């Protein structure tokens, strides 16, 4: 198991917005050369050098522009399960926030908890990339431990107890490492021993409205969800019913997380009616904001 995990510890590339260069017209360029933060707004200093078209002149004019972008005003794209291209302002805000809190994480792992379908894997990959951490999905590591058998098949062949034992062992081994973002299974929070391991890092609860979770899961099918696909009825109704039951059982456990990311609150802040228009980057930004709040409570305000 340790060898499999160690082989996967690859440092993800970072977004480097400071080196972005755009051409303007003939012979002109704009370079994003400096960033600084002022209160709740992120500001970018843009230096533009405009070259005259006359061949005999070698004088340049320099124009400085100050462009402000706010986390509360940027447009959010549709949450996707695969790759996506974040708008420049989202990526810039995310990188700026990661650079602010990165040194104070001290290499601690980040564990994402939440219901099935809450976007832990997608958001986790965004966080790992911007922080320069490695990403692991605990369910995938359990599958590797059982010779590539899917989670649904593990439940069917060996039962939920067997799966939970394997899950706990995976979390134990991950807790010995540093600089990881870990997407945990939806039910990982029910075992107190799992919290013992996750408390070595920082846990973040992705809190998504059940109706939105049910729509997401029903849209892709419940076959890969062993706690759902045996129920009768249409996909949305049976998924919502089962999720409601699971949430009643797990809500107190999820609340043990060090930080909570409410997608409803993000949507309200950005002016969206529901959470379906939130991008993974917007959610990752909020996750870092909430982690920052936890670090301040834990260690006192560290000057941000």
């Amino acid at each position: 198991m340790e060898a499999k995990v160690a082989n996967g510890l690859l440092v993800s590339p970072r977004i480097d917005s400071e080196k972005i260069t755009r051409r303007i017209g003939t012979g002109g360029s704009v370079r994003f050369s400096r960033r600084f933060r002022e209160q709740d707004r992120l500001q970018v200093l843009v230096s533009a050098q405009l070259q005259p078209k006359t061949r005999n002149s070698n004088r340049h004019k320099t124009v400085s522009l100050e462009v402000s972008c706010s986390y509360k005003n940027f447009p959010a794209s549709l949450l996707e399960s695969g790759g996506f291209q974040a708008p420049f302002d989202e990526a810039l805000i995310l990188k700026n926030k990661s650079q602010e809190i990165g040194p104070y994480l001290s290499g601690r792992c980040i564990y994402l908890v939440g219901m099935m379908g809450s976007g832990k894997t997608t958001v986790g990959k965004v966080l790992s990339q911007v922080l320069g951490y490695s990403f692991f999905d605990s369910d995938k590591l359990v599958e590797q431990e059982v010779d590539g058998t899917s989670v649904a098949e593990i439940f069917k062949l060996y039962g939920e107890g067997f799966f939970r034992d394997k899950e706990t062992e995976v979390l134990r081994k991950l807790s010995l490492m540093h600089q990881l973002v870990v997407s945990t299974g939806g039910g990982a929070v029910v075992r107190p021993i799992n919290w013992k391991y996750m408390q070595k890092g920082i846990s973040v609860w992705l809190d998504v409205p059940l109706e939105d979770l049910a729509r997401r899961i029903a849209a892709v099918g419940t076959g890969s969800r062993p706690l759902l696909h045996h129920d009768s009825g249409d996909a949305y109704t049976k998924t919502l019913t089962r999720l409601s039951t699971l949430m009643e059982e797990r809500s107190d456990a999820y609340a043990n997380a060090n930080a909570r990311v409410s997608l409803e609150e993000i949507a309200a802040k950005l002016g969206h009616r529901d959470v379906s228009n939130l991008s993974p980057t917007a959610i990752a930004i909020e996750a870092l904001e909430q982690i920052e709040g936890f670090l301040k409570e834990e260690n006192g305000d560290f000057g941000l």
Side-chain angles (χ1 to χ4, degrees):
M1 168 66 185
E2 286 88 345
K4 292 178 182 177
V5 174
N7 289 337
L9 292 178
L10 301 177
V11 177
S12 302
R14 294 172 180 262
I15 303 169
D16 194 350
S17 57
E18 296 177 71
K19 297 181 180 178
I20 294 177
T21 300
R22 297 181 179 177
R23 304 299 298 181
I24 295 185
T26 303
S29 66
V30 173
R31 185 176 66 234
F32 293 84
S33 57
R34 185 185 302 173
R35 302 190 321 278
F36 58 93
R37 190 175 186 273
E38 179 180 82
Q39 296 178 348
D40 294 328
R41 293 193 308 165
L42 181 71
Q43 297 180 319
V44 184
L45 185 64
V46 181
S47 177
Q49 289 191 332
L50 304 179
Q51 298 180 0
K53 294 182 179 180
T54 57
R55 297 180 59 185
N56 295 331
S57 173
N58 54 12
R59 297 178 60 190
H60 295 168
K61 294 181 179 179
T62 300
V63 180
S64 293
L65 306 175
E66 193 177 87
V67 180
S68 297
C69 54
S70 169
Y71 169 37
K72 296 182 180 180
N73 295 328
F74 65 77
S77 60
L78 186 66
L79 179 65
E80 299 174 0
S81 59
F84 62 94
Q85 185 72 33
F88 174 74
D89 51 358
E90 279 188 336
L92 185 59
I93 293 168
L94 179 65
K95 184 184 179 184
N96 180 267
K97 179 55 64 177
S98 71
Q99 290 177 337
E100 286 180 358
I101 73 170
Y104 301 96
L105 289 172
S106 302
R108 282 189 289 179
C109 297
I110 295 173
Y111 296 90
L112 299 180
V113 301
M115 294 285 283
M116 62 183 80
S118 59
K120 299 185 296 288
T121 296
T122 303
V123 175
K125 289 178 179 178
V126 175
L127 287 172
S128 67
Q129 182 181 46
V130 76
L131 291 170
Y133 278 24
S134 296
F135 173 80
F136 286 101
D137 183 323
S138 66
D139 282 354
K140 296 298 182 185
L141 293 177
V142 170
E143 290 176 345
Q144 290 178 20
E145 285 291 290
V146 193
D147 300 321
T149 307
S150 69
V151 171
E153 283 297 307
I154 292 173
F155 269 69
K156 181 179 179 181
L157 295 173
Y158 307 107
E160 182 177 357
F162 176 88
F163 172 82
R164 297 299 175 198
D165 290 341
K166 290 291 184 181
E167 181 178 58
T168 295
E169 181 62 13
V170 163
L171 291 174
R172 183 191 71 80
K173 292 174 180 177
L174 290 174
S175 72
L176 302 175
M177 302 178 186
H178 300 282
Q179 294 187 322
L180 306 180
V181 175
V182 180
S183 169
T184 66
V189 297
V190 300
R191 284 192 170 185
I193 186 65
N194 292 344
W195 283 108
K196 174 184 175 181
Y197 300 134
M198 290 191 289
Q199 283 171 355
K200 294 182 179 181
I202 299 173
S203 52
V204 180
W205 173 23
L206 298 188
D207 186 8
V208 184
L210 294 182
E211 294 81 5
D212 293 279
L213 285 178
R215 280 192 289 269
R216 290 183 192 178
I217 295 171
V220 298
T222 59
S224 63
R225 310 287 184 178
L227 295 180
L228 295 180
H229 73 281
H230 295 300
D231 297 337
S232 60
D234 69 273
Y236 173 79
T237 300
K238 72 177 183 180
T239 300
L240 180 59
T241 300
R242 183 59 175 146
L243 289 176
S244 298
T245 301
L246 290 173
M247 190 62 177
E248 288 181 6
E249 298 171 356
R250 300 173 179 176
S251 59
D252 289 342
Y254 287 136
N256 288 326
N258 300 129
R260 171 178 171 262
V261 174
S262 168
L263 269 65
E264 277 190 316
E265 292 178 6
I266 302 174
K269 180 163 35 176
L270 298 179
H272 298 298
R273 293 183 178 179
D274 55 53
V275 305
S276 62
N277 291 325
L278 296 177
S279 72
T281 303
I283 299 169
I285 291 169
E286 181 68 16
L288 291 181
E289 292 277 4
Q290 295 302 321
I291 291 172
E292 178 184 62
F294 165 72
L295 291 173
K296 286 182 177 180
E297 290 181 2
E298 183 183 51
N299 301 315
D301 192 333
F302 42 74
L304 292 180

